């Protein structure tokens, strides 16, 4: 089966380029290529397309392989750069290798060409995998630090929040008592009416304080390291908590509907299940096209055989078959650069599998997406 290979050939003689292409095709590569022979054309090619391999002659009419290699290094491209040239001294070849070329071969002597290319392609793949692993470790470390910070913030907010809520409750009780006294003395007095006007702002303050209390509670749920042990988890409670966390951060609020079964519990980590559901809800909220109305997300929990099913269903833009096939692949993302890491769903899948469950997904472009988490029922 042919292997695709995108090759940039820096060569002023077309017959020599055709010989190279013949060798590559005979080795089983499905080659797409571009031939250039000037610094300007080389720069345009490097900026215009991604390349798997660069093969360069050493001497060209207007520049040489070292200058071409400098253009590659300026752009910080990790692409195998192999020089295939005519009669060049050993000192020149060593100088090119020291400058960063990956190999130096003589024209017409192609016995080492294919092994050299395959070696360099393997090395590039290993470097890319190592870089991804380092990025994943960095992200994991950063998330752990953020979790510790969130736990600390939640702890620091708890005490003043408790004082605030008890004070609001005390003021509300005292206000009721004073209102009753004033109403008994003169129900139509100006003071009685002014005291009644305080009911609504005081109720708003109480609701706002309760909202902050719930946010603090949710932060503790999502950041507690000690919650990694297996325990009985109330599914509906975690769904509600994830919904509260998600609904605070989105400008274009969709309509949420809930359809919860009763008494649903699973064995696992409350914080990690919450992390999964928060991710799925936020993804659903981000699935709506700009300017589109009637954005809806349905959250449902139910018993399904011996499992508990948790569904997050949206009527957003949906996904293509190609996207669905790669959805849980680490670092795959459809979001713009700098917006998504491509780790969210891969981590969700890993968490659910560690809890003995699985994630299913159904989606059609233009018709929305349904994520279904299935966990063993307790």
């Amino acid at each position: 089966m042919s292997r695709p290979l995108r090759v940039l050939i820096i060569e002023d003689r077309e017959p020599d380029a055709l010989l190279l292409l013949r060798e590559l095709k005979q080795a089983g590569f499905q080659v797409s290529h571009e031939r250039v022979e000037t610094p300007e054309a080389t720069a345009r090619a490097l900026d215009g397309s991604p390349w798997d391999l660069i093969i360069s002659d050493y001497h060209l009419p207007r520049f040489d392989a070292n200058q071409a290699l400098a253009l590659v290094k300026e752009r910080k491209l990790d692409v195998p750069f192999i020089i295939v040239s005519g009669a060049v001294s050993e000192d020149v070849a060593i100088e090119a290798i020291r400058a960063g070329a990956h190999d130096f071969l003589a024209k017409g002597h192609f016995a080492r060409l294919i092994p050299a290319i395959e070696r360099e392609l393997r090395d590039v793949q290993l470097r890319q995998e190592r870089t991804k692993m380092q990025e994943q470790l960095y992200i994991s470390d950063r998330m752990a630090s953020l979790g510790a910070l969130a736990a600390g913030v939640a702890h620091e907010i708890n005490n003043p929040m408790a004082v605030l809520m008890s004070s609001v409750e005390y003021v509300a009780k005292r206000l009721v008592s004073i209102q009753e006294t004033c109403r008994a003395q003169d129900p139509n007095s100006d003071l009685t009416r002014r005291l009644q006007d305080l009911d609504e702002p005081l109720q708003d303050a109480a609701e706002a304080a309760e909202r902050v209390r719930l946010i603090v509670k949710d932060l503790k749920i999502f950041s507690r390291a000690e919650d990694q042990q297996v325990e009985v988890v109330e599914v509906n409670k975690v769904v509600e908590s994830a919904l509260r966390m998600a609904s605070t951060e989105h400008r274009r609020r969709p309509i949420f509907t809930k359809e919860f079964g009763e008494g649903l519990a699973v064995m696992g980590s409350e914080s990690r299940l919450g992390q999964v559901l928060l991710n799925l809800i936020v993804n659903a909220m981000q699935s709506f096209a700009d300017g589109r109305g009637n954005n809806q997300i349905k959250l449902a929990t139910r018993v399904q055989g011996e499992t508990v099913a948790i569904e997050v269903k949206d009527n957003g833009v949906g996904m293509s078959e190609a996207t669905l096939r790669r959805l849980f692949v680490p670092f795959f993302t459809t979001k713009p650069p700098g917006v998504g890491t491509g780790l969210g769903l891969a981590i969700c899948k890993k968490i659910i599998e560690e809890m003995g469950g699985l994630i299913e997904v159904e989606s059609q472009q233009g018709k929305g997406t349904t994520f279904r988490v299935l966990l063993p029922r307790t």
Side-chain angles (χ1 to χ4, degrees):
M1 189 174 182
S2 59
R3 296 168 287 175
L5 186 70
R6 296 162 297 184
V7 186
L8 178 62
I9 300 176
I10 305 174
E11 171 63 72
D12 61 317
R13 286 175 47 83
E14 187 171 359
D16 290 347
L18 292 175
L19 285 174
L20 287 170
L21 292 172
R22 186 184 67 181
E23 291 291 325
L24 293 173
K25 291 174 182 177
Q26 287 178 347
F29 290 106
Q30 180 184 343
V31 182
S32 56
H33 79 285
E34 180 178 348
R35 184 176 69 86
V36 295
E37 53 184 280
T38 66
E40 296 81 9
T42 302
R44 284 195 299 271
L46 292 173
D47 293 333
S49 302
W51 300 103
D52 300 318
L53 174 68
I54 299 173
I55 300 178
S56 177
D57 190 2
Y58 189 82
H59 290 295
L60 293 103
R62 290 185 51 194
F63 74 140
D64 61 27
N66 285 335
Q67 292 170 305
L69 182 58
L71 293 174
V72 174
K73 294 173 73 173
E74 279 177 14
R75 289 157 176 78
K76 298 180 180 179
L77 301 175
D78 187 8
V79 184
F81 190 100
I82 295 177
I83 300 174
V84 178
S85 192
V88 176
S89 69
E90 184 178 339
D91 290 342
V92 171
I94 292 173
E95 179 190 353
I97 296 295
R98 286 176 175 170
H102 294 89
D103 212 330
F104 200 115
L105 307 176
K107 283 187 178 180
H109 300 277
F110 291 141
R112 284 200 310 113
L113 177 62
I114 300 305
I117 290 172
E118 291 181 336
R119 180 194 68 228
E120 295 304 326
L121 292 177
R122 283 195 303 270
D123 287 349
V124 167
Q125 185 177 5
L126 288 172
R127 286 195 297 272
Q128 291 174 345
E129 290 174 356
R130 186 162 54 246
T131 299
K132 287 182 177 180
M133 288 178 65
Q134 290 171 344
E135 289 174 353
Q136 187 170 7
L137 287 172
Y138 170 73
I139 291 169
S140 298
D141 182 65
R142 185 173 59 182
M143 293 303 293
S145 299
L146 288 173
L149 176 62
V153 169
H155 178 74
E156 291 299 323
I157 291 176
N158 258 343
N159 289 338
M161 183 53 55
V163 174
L164 173 61
M165 294 191 69
S166 62
S167 298
V168 169
E169 184 179 357
Y170 172 77
V171 171
K173 289 180 179 178
R174 290 289 296 149
L175 181 62
V176 169
S177 176
I178 295 171
Q179 286 175 336
E180 289 175 351
T181 301
C182 291
R183 199 176 295 112
Q185 293 176 352
D186 185 355
N188 298 317
S189 71
D190 182 61
L191 178 60
T192 300
R193 288 195 297 271
R194 290 167 66 183
L195 288 173
Q196 287 175 340
D197 290 341
L198 297 177
D199 287 343
E200 186 174 346
L202 192 60
Q203 180 62 30
D204 290 343
E207 290 177 359
E210 174 64 11
R211 177 68 175 156
V212 173
R213 186 189 71 80
L214 291 173
I215 292 173
V216 170
K217 178 183 176 184
D218 294 337
L219 280 173
K220 291 178 72 176
I221 287 176
F222 284 100
S223 61
R224 277 205 305 263
E226 64 269 20
D227 273 359
Q228 300 306 312
Q229 71 269 14
V230 175
E231 60 187 356
V232 177
V233 178
E234 296 178 31
V235 170
N236 293 345
K237 172 186 171 184
V238 180
V239 177
E240 290 279 14
S241 180
L243 177 57
R244 285 195 298 269
M245 290 285 286
S247 61
T248 61
E249 65 168 55
H250 207 267
R251 307 187 310 272
R252 195 170 56 253
R253 295 179 184 274
I255 298 171
F256 285 96
T257 58
K258 294 180 285 188
E259 189 177 293
F260 291 169
E262 295 183 1
L264 303 181
V266 298
M267 295 299 295
S269 163
E270 187 178 71
S271 63
R272 303 200 80 188
L273 180 58
Q275 177 186 349
V276 170
L277 296 178
L278 176 60
N279 191 295
L280 297 182
I281 294 171
V282 170
N283 280 355
M285 295 168 75
Q286 293 173 346
S287 72
F288 302 115
D290 291 338
R292 177 178 172 180
N294 194 30
N295 300 329
Q296 297 184 27
I297 296 175
K298 180 180 179 181
L299 305 175
T301 63
R302 64 178 182 275
V303 174
Q304 187 169 306
E306 296 299 317
T307 65
V308 171
I310 309 168
E311 283 189 353
V312 180
K313 182 176 183 179
D314 66 69
N315 64 341
V317 295
M319 291 178 279
S320 67
E321 288 292 335
T323 298
L324 282 172
R325 282 195 296 270
R326 303 185 62 195
L327 196 59
F328 296 103
V329 175
F331 302 103
F332 171 74
T333 179
T334 58
K335 296 174 183 175
V339 177
T341 64
L343 285 174
L345 288 175
I347 292 173
C348 288
K349 183 173 183 287
K350 183 174 183 294
I351 289 172
I352 296 304
E353 287 176 349
E354 287 176 351
M355 293 175 65
L358 57 92
I359 294 184
E360 299 176 342
V361 58
E362 300 169 4
S363 185
Q364 283 185 287
Q365 285 188 302
K367 295 186 178 180
T369 301
T370 300
F371 279 94
R372 187 177 301 108
V373 175
L374 299 173
L375 291 167
R377 184 186 180 195
T378 298

